[in-house]
Amino acid sequence: MGAGKRNLTMAAVAVVCAMTVLGAPVNAYASQTKPTEPTPSPSSAAGGSGTPETYPTPVTNEELEAVRARLESLYHDAAVATDAYNAAEEKADKQSEEITDLAHEVDQGHAKLDKLQDLIGAAARAQYRGGGLPPEVQLWLTENPQDFLEGADRVRQGQLAAKGLLAEMTRTQEDLEQYSKDAAARWKKLEASRKAKEKAKKKIKKQIAAAQELEGQLEDDERERLAQLEEDAAQQSQATWLGSGILDEINGKASPQGKRAVKFATDQIGKWYEWGAEGPDTYDCSGLTSQAWAAAGLTIPRTSQEQWRLLKHIAIKDMRPGDLIIYNADASHVAMYLGNGSMVHAPRPNRKVSIAGAGTMQILGVVRPDA
């Protein structure tokens, strides 16, 4: 292992605790160095000549555990930002649709005004000539022209027509003014959603880049040991969860829709995680669960936080395959329960869709899309 790279690694783990307290930026890792203790070379120990060699101190499991905790924090923050990005994107899409609908209403309103002006002109010309109302004016004012004409002489017909058409024109103009105000308000909201999405995107990239930089400072054998620490922590968490006897109470059967959702989700195993992705080649955690239920014929919220907020909450002991397990106090991760204490999920960047123990992370609660 190179001494320079080792120094960067040792610096990274040494700064983790300080960063937790002081909130120092991740790039502070690279500016620190940790000296190594000199060790006599075999030749000098034997009384021979030569400059004593130095050997880098191995990174301890405690130091790697600090790295693991820091990576977990970075990827958690990236997950929170991903949820914010997805929510902003969903809002922006909805607001764009609303603006398009308003534009259509405005077009129809202008067409209606043009038609009313033509009808008013036709009615005025007819009255001037002393004739009755044109057929198109009669049809506009009432579905049954005879009801409108009964008991009214021609003068009164003209007065009623003018009054009705002018009232309709006033209402149409008021509608157009309201459409204009609504469109302006929605454009403002759309711009806010776009800014929120861009802000979340920057944060995601920053957190992932920091995590990758930290992982990149480790040697191959350290990465293997780090992976083993992650696996050990997950297994310990799962063992604690199972040790509570929870599986003795969980015996729910999947619904027909739940079975289809489970099949879709498990068919994606091996595909890479990508923030903001909804398939078909990559997924983030809520992209996987929302698309799985869409494949089962049910539309559910796009983000894990909205899934937690809007879907029906189920007691853990009552969960069944297809239900969604929400993780972390801020509902920043979601997985699909498969049964027998396992779940399928899109874990995080640089990981693939996979099956894991349902108790390997902190469970916030369970929701049921097809309740």
Side-chain angles (χ1 to χ4, degrees):
M1 183 189 316
K5 193 168 186 181
R6 171 66 65 184
N7 287 342
L8 286 174
T9 301
M10 297 306 296
V13 297
V15 176
V16 169
C17 294
M19 285 187 63
T20 302
V21 176
L22 302 175
V26 150
N27 58 15
Y29 290 161
S31 66
Q32 306 293 320
T33 58
K34 179 177 179 180
T36 57
E37 295 296 330
T39 302
S41 67
S43 59
S44 60
S49 60
T51 303
E53 298 181 14
T54 59
Y55 295 90
T57 303
V59 173
T60 65
N61 279 356
E62 289 75 14
E63 291 169 329
L64 280 177
E65 181 60 32
V67 172
R68 186 189 72 80
R70 180 59 180 158
L71 286 172
E72 187 174 289
S73 176
L74 288 168
Y75 282 123
H76 169 266
D77 289 348
V80 173
T82 297
D83 236 26
Y85 175 89
N86 291 334
E89 184 175 50
E90 194 170 37
K91 283 182 181 179
D93 289 343
K94 183 178 180 181
Q95 288 155 357
S96 294
E97 291 176 2
E98 290 173 348
I99 290 172
T100 300
D101 291 341
L102 279 172
H104 182 64
E105 293 290 343
V106 169
D107 286 342
Q108 288 186 324
H110 283 299
K112 186 176 180 180
L113 277 179
D114 292 341
K115 180 66 175 176
L116 285 167
Q117 289 172 345
D118 291 342
L119 291 172
I120 290 173
R125 289 191 298 272
Q127 289 300 304
Y128 178 77
R129 292 193 300 266
L133 291 176
E136 63 269 24
V137 175
Q138 296 177 21
L139 289 171
W140 183 276
L141 292 172
T142 178
E143 291 182 356
N144 187 345
Q146 288 304 120
D147 290 343
F148 177 80
L149 293 172
E150 279 180 2
D153 57 29
R154 290 181 178 178
V155 173
R156 286 189 60 206
Q157 291 174 24
Q159 292 172 341
L160 290 171
K163 184 178 180 180
L165 291 170
L166 287 171
E168 186 68 18
M169 178 176 284
T170 299
R171 285 194 296 271
T172 302
Q173 289 172 328
E174 290 173 348
D175 287 345
L176 284 172
E177 289 176 4
Q178 188 59 50
Y179 293 153
S180 178
K181 291 178 181 178
D182 289 347
R186 281 169 171 75
W187 271 115
K188 188 175 181 179
K189 290 181 179 179
L190 177 59
E191 186 60 25
S193 295
R194 285 173 174 166
K195 288 181 179 179
K197 189 169 78 168
E198 195 59 32
K199 181 179 179 181
K201 182 178 180 179
K202 290 179 180 178
K203 184 172 183 179
I204 295 166
K205 289 185 174 182
K206 179 181 178 181
Q207 299 302 105
I208 293 176
Q212 290 173 339
E213 179 182 354
L214 180 53
E215 288 180 299
Q217 293 169 353
L218 299 175
E219 298 291 347
D220 291 343
D221 64 315
E222 292 167 349
R223 290 194 190 95
E224 292 176 4
R225 289 167 56 202
L226 178 62
Q228 187 60 53
L229 285 175
E230 293 173 345
E231 179 64 22
D232 291 346
Q235 288 183 0
Q236 179 59 46
S237 180
Q238 176 75 350
T240 301
W241 185 67
L242 294 178
S244 68
I246 189 67
L247 279 188
D248 296 338
E249 300 183 61
I250 300 175
N251 54 15
K253 302 290 185 181
S255 67
Q257 278 185 304
K259 289 179 180 179
R260 293 198 293 273
V262 165
K263 183 181 186 309
F264 179 94
T266 53
D267 283 347
Q268 312 314 308
I269 290 173
K271 294 183 178 180
W272 286 102
Y273 176 102
E274 182 182 5
W275 63 267
E278 300 178 79
D281 300 320
T282 57
Y283 295 89
D284 63 18
C285 67
S286 57
L288 177 66
T289 54
S290 60
Q291 288 303 303
W293 272 100
L298 187 62
T299 299
I300 67 172
R302 169 66 178 88
T303 71
S304 58
Q305 292 175 341
E306 287 296 282
Q307 289 170 5
W308 173 244
R309 188 174 73 87
L310 297 176
L311 298 179
K312 183 176 177 60
H313 289 207
I314 300 295
I316 293 177
K317 66 182 181 62
D318 296 327
M319 69 180 175
R320 66 192 187 192
D323 287 347
L324 305 182
I325 306 175
I326 309 297
Y327 293 96
N328 304 324
D330 53 8
S332 56
H333 190 69
V334 61
M336 180 176 290
Y337 185 60
L338 298 179
N340 297 319
S342 65
M343 56 84 164
V344 60
H345 68 152
R348 64 168 176 82
N350 300 321
R351 295 288 189 272
K352 295 180 180 180
V353 175
S354 57
I355 292 175
T360 54
M361 294 176 286
Q362 177 193 0
I363 295 177
L364 175 62
V366 178
V367 294
R368 179 165 295 165
D370 61 336

